[in-house]
Amino acid sequence: MNSKKAVFYTSLAASLLLISIGVFAPKQLEKFSNSSLSFIYNNLGWFILGSVFIFFAFCMYIGLSKFGQIRLGDDDDRPEYKTATWIGMLFSASIGISLVFWGVAEPVSYYIDPPFGKASSEQSAKLAMQFVYLHWGVSAWACYALVGVSLAFFQFRKKLPSSLSSVFHPLIGDRISGSAGKAIDVMVILSIVIGIATSLGFGTLQVNSGMNFLWGIPMNITTQAIIVIVVTFIYVGSTVSGLQGAMKNLSNLNMILAFALLGFVLFLGPTQSIFKIFFQGVGDYVQNFIGMSFRTEPYNDGSWIASWTLFYFGWWIAWAPLVGSFVARISRGRTIKEFMMGAVFIPVLGSFFWFAVMGGSAIHLIQNMGEKALATAVSTDVTSALFKFFEYFPMSSFLSILAMVLVLVFFITSANSAVFVLGMISENGNPNPAHRTKIIWGVVIAAISVVLIMTGGLSGLQSALVATAVPLAVLMLVMCYSTYKGLNEELFNMSEKKNKELKEKKAIPEKTAL
């Protein structure tokens, strides 16, 4: 794979093969994916949990240690985006659409089916928020931050191409431009394509569910295909317009819409209970973080952990190349300490509060107000859970429409960032990929989504994505060592440069005196 187009053509061929399998053998794909996933859960669950904890520990170490002073760029570089816009882009490019989808459904699911103890009880209500916070907390963002900080350091500080293979330069040197580096980039591209295609598919189902709930529009492949096509035109168009314009504006719009929806539910709902749930949940999460992070349930079948915790952790690892690459792209000029504090903790607090408002309110309605029908609705169809929840509020139709618009905008920004990253990697790290490349990837992602919705293969591909978490986790563990080695060399170079400058300053007066 020495051609400049090798990464693009190889990954494109693999993506088209995936579409073909989805069309002609969806059941076989799902069966193979599920069996692979089952094998991983039963034999390598401990490895996934341990890897994610190592990623978090490594991020905290380099952020709070002597490495934190290193800037992701030249010493005189400063952040390209304002902090508020940067945070908005972090949300938009990663988990925004998932927060909307699972905001009500996941806490209620844990409430009626807890990891242990009595279901639909005060204990299960506390456990619901505690484990939601585990799955969406610092563990998830550490996966993104690791890839993001590593790539940003080698791209902006060491002036290497914008490809994940560049991160391994301290270990394999210039071979990152050869077959080894290209193989890494192809694997990363496939994980990004699968990840964004499944996200696009599930987002389409939720939008269609909302349209059906509000206006009776049928839930069928025709409606879903139209949604995908319209969204594809928008996100490809916004990608072609460039980061500074479309992505910045869409991210800011995202934040405004999210705050509006959050504000409506917060002030029209059980406000006092929401704040109590938030603080209780954060306290339980912090107190039990270590135990939950290593919970493997070796003395029973471990089905709950496999279905939720391992699935989520595998999902975050699988999404790390996409989100990490985009986060790196928008983080030039920040110090490593600033990057880690912003990219790990601020989005986590935002996610926690979102779940307290949405999920906490839903549990309050069920547990304290006796609205058991909401729990039944969630267990019956998670895609309609949010819209069923809004029925308990004034202006429910307005809230549902606002939620659908928010899903669509998150939809567009997630796909937008994915297409941009795919373009960068496909063109060997080109920070400004050609429009043609981005358009091709945009069409491929849309095609995979439509094919999988048509054939019912979404869950199979979702399982396949999580199954890729094991090789990616290995790659990311090696990334930790490579980044550490690179940072050490950079500190040494900075020290040598500083000493040289001090010697030159001292030498100037001596020459003047002579």
Side-chain angles (χ1 to χ4, degrees):
M1 289 198 295
N2 293 320
S3 167
K4 289 185 177 180
K5 294 286 187 177
V7 171
F8 174 68
Y9 288 126
T10 303
S11 52
L12 182 60
S15 300
L16 295 176
L17 177 62
L18 192 61
I19 294 175
S20 301
I21 295 173
V23 172
F24 298 109
K27 298 301 180 185
Q28 288 82 349
L29 172 64
E30 186 168 1
K31 183 178 179 181
F32 174 77
S33 300
N34 289 337
S35 60
S36 300
L37 198 60
S38 178
F39 174 82
I40 291 170
Y41 287 165
N42 293 332
N43 299 279
L44 294 170
W46 59 269
F47 174 72
I48 292 177
L49 294 178
S51 297
V52 170
F53 189 82
I54 290 172
F55 301 153
F56 170 67
F58 179 77
C59 287
M60 292 301 95
Y61 170 66
I62 64 172
L64 299 174
S65 68
K66 56 187 178 181
F67 300 124
Q69 64 180 302
I70 298 176
R71 195 169 289 280
L72 300 174
D74 298 328
D75 289 335
D76 56 352
D77 281 345
R78 291 299 178 268
E80 187 176 1
Y81 299 98
K82 293 180 179 178
T83 300
T85 299
W86 181 60
I87 292 169
M89 295 173 81
L90 291 178
F91 271 108
S92 302
S94 52
I95 67 171
I97 191 171
S98 299
L99 283 175
V100 178
F101 188 95
W102 289 108
V104 170
E106 189 174 340
V108 174
S109 296
Y110 297 172
Y111 170 74
I112 59 181
D113 180 25
F116 54 87
K118 183 181 178 181
S120 301
S121 63
E122 182 182 349
Q123 181 192 25
S124 70
K126 291 176 61 178
L127 286 174
M129 299 310 299
Q130 184 176 316
F131 275 87
V132 164
Y133 286 0
L134 171 68
H135 298 155
W136 296 81
V138 295
S139 302
W141 286 93
C143 295
Y144 303 156
L146 168 62
V147 175
V149 76
S150 300
L151 184 56
F153 170 73
F154 287 102
Q155 177 184 349
F156 299 129
R157 187 82 183 185
K158 308 306 289 184
K159 312 304 180 187
L160 292 173
S162 309
S163 297
L164 260 293
S165 53
S166 297
V167 172
F168 301 93
H169 188 269
L171 303 181
I172 62 176
D174 292 338
R175 282 180 292 173
I176 59 171
S177 301
S179 297
K182 294 186 189 306
I184 292 171
D185 289 338
V186 168
M187 183 172 74
V188 166
I189 285 177
L190 288 177
S191 74
I192 291 173
V193 169
I194 295 172
I196 200 64
T198 52
S199 180
L200 192 61
F202 283 115
T204 299
L205 294 179
Q206 188 180 34
V207 171
N208 194 181
S209 176
M211 295 168 72
N212 175 262
F213 182 79
L214 287 170
W215 304 303
I217 294 174
M219 291 189 66
N220 56 35
I221 183 58
T222 303
T223 304
Q224 291 155 7
I226 291 172
I227 293 171
V228 171
I229 290 169
V230 170
V231 170
T232 301
F233 271 111
I234 296 173
Y235 75 66
V236 169
S238 61
T239 304
V240 169
S241 74
L243 271 176
Q244 287 284 359
M247 272 303 293
K248 180 179 178 180
N249 294 332
L250 282 172
S251 297
N252 288 335
L253 176 61
N254 263 350
M255 296 302 290
I256 293 171
L257 292 176
F259 278 123
L261 185 61
L262 204 67
F264 269 107
V265 178
L266 176 62
F267 293 111
L268 295 177
T271 308
Q272 294 298 326
S273 293
I274 287 171
F275 282 107
K276 290 178 182 179
I277 290 167
F278 173 70
F279 281 98
Q280 176 77 48
V282 171
D284 290 340
Y285 168 68
V286 172
Q287 183 179 0
N288 297 284
F289 174 69
I290 301 295
M292 291 191 297
S293 297
F294 290 102
R295 185 181 173 84
T296 57
E297 294 189 345
Y299 308 113
N300 58 38
D301 63 359
S303 58
W304 196 96
I305 294 296
S307 299
W308 289 107
T309 303
L310 290 178
F311 183 86
Y312 264 120
F313 280 18
W315 185 263
W316 302 138
I317 292 172
W319 268 75
L322 164 60
V323 182
S325 297
F326 184 76
V327 170
R329 176 68 179 81
I330 62 174
S331 299
R332 180 171 190 160
R334 299 186 181 275
T335 64
I336 290 178
K337 180 179 181 179
E338 182 184 4
F339 177 93
M340 286 304 172
M341 294 303 104
V344 174
F345 292 107
I346 294 178
V348 164
L349 289 175
S351 301
F352 284 3
F353 195 65
W354 179 274
F355 276 108
V357 173
M358 299 297 176
S361 296
I363 292 176
H364 171 78
L365 285 170
I366 301 167
Q367 174 72 13
N368 298 334
M369 307 300 290
E371 300 292 349
K372 307 297 182 185
L374 180 56
T376 303
V378 170
S379 61
T380 303
D381 180 13
V382 293
T383 63
S384 64
L386 184 64
F387 308 111
K388 295 284 187 182
F389 169 67
F390 286 149
E391 283 191 324
Y392 295 91
F393 290 83
M395 300 184 292
S396 59
S397 295
F398 172 76
L399 292 176
S400 295
I401 294 170
L402 182 60
M404 278 197 296
V405 173
L406 184 59
V407 168
L408 285 170
V409 178
F410 272 132
F411 220 153
I412 292 163
T413 48
S414 295
N416 189 310
S417 58
V419 168
F420 194 91
V421 170
L422 287 169
M424 284 196 305
I425 302 174
S426 298
E427 296 185 1
N428 302 306
N430 179 9
N432 297 296
H435 293 334
R436 174 176 169 272
T437 305
K438 292 185 286 188
I439 291 170
I440 290 173
W441 281 121
V443 173
V444 167
I445 290 170
I448 293 176
S449 299
V450 172
V451 166
L452 290 169
I453 292 171
M454 289 176 62
T455 58
L458 271 173
S459 60
L461 195 60
Q462 191 181 33
S463 298
L465 176 66
V466 179
T468 64
V470 172
L472 281 174
V474 173
L475 201 67
M476 289 167 68
L477 288 171
V478 178
M479 187 185 296
C480 289
Y481 174 68
S482 182
T483 302
Y484 174 78
K485 189 174 180 180
L487 291 173
N488 253 334
E489 291 174 356
E490 183 62 21
L491 275 184
F492 177 78
N493 293 336
M494 290 170 64
S495 178
E496 289 292 296
K497 181 182 177 181
K498 189 174 181 179
N499 290 335
K500 184 179 178 181
E501 290 174 349
L502 287 173
K503 287 180 180 178
E504 288 175 351
K505 285 182 179 179
K506 289 180 179 179
I508 291 174
E510 294 176 5
K511 290 181 180 179
T512 304
L514 291 172

